[in-house]
Amino acid sequence: MSEDLQQAEGRAASVVELAQDLIRRPSRGGIDDCGPVLGVLEDWLAARGLPHRHLHDGAGELVGLLVEIPGGRPGKWWTLDACVDTAPYGDETAWSFPPASGDVVDGWLLGRGAADSKLAAAMFCHIAADLVPRAETLYGGLAVLLDVDEHTGGFGGARAYLADPHAARPAGVMIGYPGMEEVVVGGRGLWRATIAVHAPSGHSGSSKNVVGAISRAAHLVRLLDAAELPGAAAASGFPLPPKLSVTSFHGGQGFSVTPDRCDLNVDIRTTPTFDGHDAETLVRKAVAELDAELPAPAPTEITPIAAWPPFRLAENEQPAAALLHAATEAGLRVRSKTAGPSNIGNLLAGQGIPATAGFGVPYKGLHGIDERAHLAELPTVYAVYQRAVLELLES
């Protein structure tokens, strides 16, 4: 690993330079045109002769870039994945530096996307370039997926990659989310739905009492909050319990009318012992109870929006095994972790593709104010990923 670390130290400045260029092209998901940030990557890849191509969604929108380095021997393909779109800036006046700064101050790379995940994208492009001179000796191949539709929640780049008939299906994916203390090998799944609650409309000053849609919806929220969910099931090997949250509540306007409709968003994080079917059953039970207790002219409507399975890799499953082994070889004491939030690993799990969803440099301000990534550990993180990739491609 010492030789790998020396090579990584030699690459660090170039990785940071590319990451700075990316941060300085705003690419907030669903807000900014991501053409400029992809242009930076395309110019860098083209200057080094790395094969790459655009990925488009079903509507023809550009949603990512795919770099493909084929080995000279038949074998499995593995993928490094990093998003180059970002979360919004939030209150820019609360930042102590410009969100698109890209400067390095006191060892920190500053700006939105520094942590999630423009530094990882720059690192993965360099690792792909390092493979080219030795590609003929490798088995299978390496793909680098650079997604610009991740923070929208659409994961358009990943979906386009998996749907591309010309792309080799990956045997596993390593996602470049930050954080150096754990290798994330799992995450809770999700089941999401919108709920439309109905009621007769009325005048707020009328002598006739009407249970409006807002009151009915508030009662439904109480029923959902009171619903019993199972705890973490130790026997399943999954360390987290399910969780239910009402995340949106909209209805009515003004003061004088009680509305005839109120809309809710419900987000349930699922586990192997409480899956999407269980989540939907729980919500439908609460809705049936609402409609029985407080009848309305129209039944409450449930519209499922998304369902992703939970996932968890054992430490001896690839690509988790290679990443954990490489971290140990680098002298790191990392633990495997199952994340509470869902991520692109859940989408891949739904396709039967194992994934790790995080190992990277230390960070602060992820998705918040003053996002930044610590650079002292970059050579070590680079060497770990490079060693893991080679372990997967050399056999």
Side-chain angles (χ1 to χ4, degrees), residues 350-371:
Q351 298 282 330
I353 298 171
T356 59
F359 173 75
V361 298
Y363 65 92
K364 292 184 179 180
L366 183 78
H367 290 187
I369 304 302
D370 286 354
E371 181 176 342

Side-chain angles (χ1 to χ4, degrees), residues 144-230:
V144 177
L145 172 62
L146 304 163
D147 196 333
V148 291
D149 189 37
E150 199 261 24
H151 282 86
T152 63
F155 298 133
R159 293 181 189 276
Y161 170 43
L162 297 177
D164 190 334
H166 304 293
R169 184 175 177 84
V173 177
M174 291 181 282
I175 304 164
Y177 296 137
M180 201 168 178
E181 295 180 353
E182 303 102 2
V183 171
V184 177
V185 298
R188 285 188 291 204
L190 61 81
W191 182 87
R192 290 174 175 164
T194 61
I195 302 177
V197 178
H198 303 282
S201 62
H203 196 289
S204 59
S206 172
S207 60
K208 181 180 179 181
N209 288 328
V210 174
V211 180
I214 290 177
S215 295
R216 295 188 77 240
H219 186 64
L220 177 59
V221 172
R222 288 192 291 271
L223 291 173
L224 291 171
D225 284 345
E228 291 189 12
L229 280 72

Side-chain angles (χ1 to χ4, degrees), residues 21-47:
D21 287 343
L22 297 175
I23 292 167
R24 289 167 180 159
R25 272 68 172 186
S27 54
R28 292 164 291 178
I31 298 174
D32 297 311
D33 175 9
C34 288
V37 75
L38 286 180
V40 170
L41 290 166
E42 288 189 85
D43 289 346
W44 191 93
L45 295 166

Side-chain angles (χ1 to χ4, degrees), residues 15-317:
V15 171
V16 172
E17 182 180 355
L18 177 56
Q20 289 177 298
D21 287 343
L22 297 175
I23 292 167
R24 289 167 180 159
R25 272 68 172 186
S27 54
R28 292 164 291 178
I31 298 174
D32 297 311
D33 175 9
C34 288
V37 75
L38 286 180
V40 170
L41 290 166
E42 288 189 85
D43 289 346
W44 191 93
L45 295 166
R48 289 153 183 81
L50 293 181
H52 61 281
R53 54 193 172 88
H54 290 170
L55 293 170
H56 297 89
D57 64 15
E61 294 294 321
L62 180 61
V63 290
L65 287 177
L66 183 64
V67 183
E68 294 169 304
I69 310 297
R73 303 174 182 179
K76 297 176 180 178
W77 277 71
W78 304 89
T79 300
L80 297 173
D81 170 38
C83 60
V84 288
D85 68 331
T86 72
Y89 294 154
D91 181 5
E92 295 185 46
T93 65
W95 288 64
S96 61
F97 49 82
S101 167
D103 292 343
V104 176
V105 177
D106 296 330
W108 292 89
L109 175 63
L110 309 181
R112 177 64 84 225
D116 184 15
S117 292
K118 291 181 175 181
L119 185 62
M123 179 176 65
F124 289 167
C125 286
H126 281 75
I127 289 174
D130 288 343
L131 284 185
V132 172
R134 62 198 302 177
E136 285 299 313
T137 67
L138 302 177
Y139 295 85
L142 176 72
V144 177
L145 172 62
L146 304 163
D147 196 333
V148 291
D149 189 37
E150 199 261 24
H151 282 86
T152 63
F155 298 133
R159 293 181 189 276
Y161 170 43
L162 297 177
D164 190 334
H166 304 293
R169 184 175 177 84
V173 177
M174 291 181 282
I175 304 164
Y177 296 137
M180 201 168 178
E181 295 180 353
E182 303 102 2
V183 171
V184 177
V185 298
R188 285 188 291 204
L190 61 81
W191 182 87
R192 290 174 175 164
T194 61
I195 302 177
V197 178
H198 303 282
S201 62
H203 196 289
S204 59
S206 172
S207 60
K208 181 180 179 181
N209 288 328
V210 174
V211 180
I214 290 177
S215 295
R216 295 188 77 240
H219 186 64
L220 177 59
V221 172
R222 288 192 291 271
L223 291 173
L224 291 171
D225 284 345
E228 291 189 12
L229 280 72
S236 72
F238 200 88
L240 298 173
K243 181 182 181 183
L244 184 153
S245 303
V246 177
T247 58
S248 178
F249 191 108
H250 296 286
Q253 61 184 37
F255 293 91
S256 62
V257 176
T258 56
D260 61 2
R261 175 170 173 151
C262 187
D263 294 288
L264 313 178
N265 287 353
V266 177
D267 178 288
I268 301 180
R269 300 307 166 110
T270 60
T271 69
T273 56
F274 187 86
D275 61 14
H277 174 75
D278 298 320
E280 183 168 359
T281 299
L282 181 149
V283 171
R284 291 194 180 279
K285 180 181 177 182
V287 163
E289 188 173 342
L290 169 72
D291 288 348
E293 291 181 7
L294 300 173
T300 302
E301 302 169 58
I302 303 170
T303 304
I305 299 298
W308 291 351
F311 75 100
R312 179 173 171 82
L313 302 184
E315 292 187 5
N316 62 350
E317 291 181 84

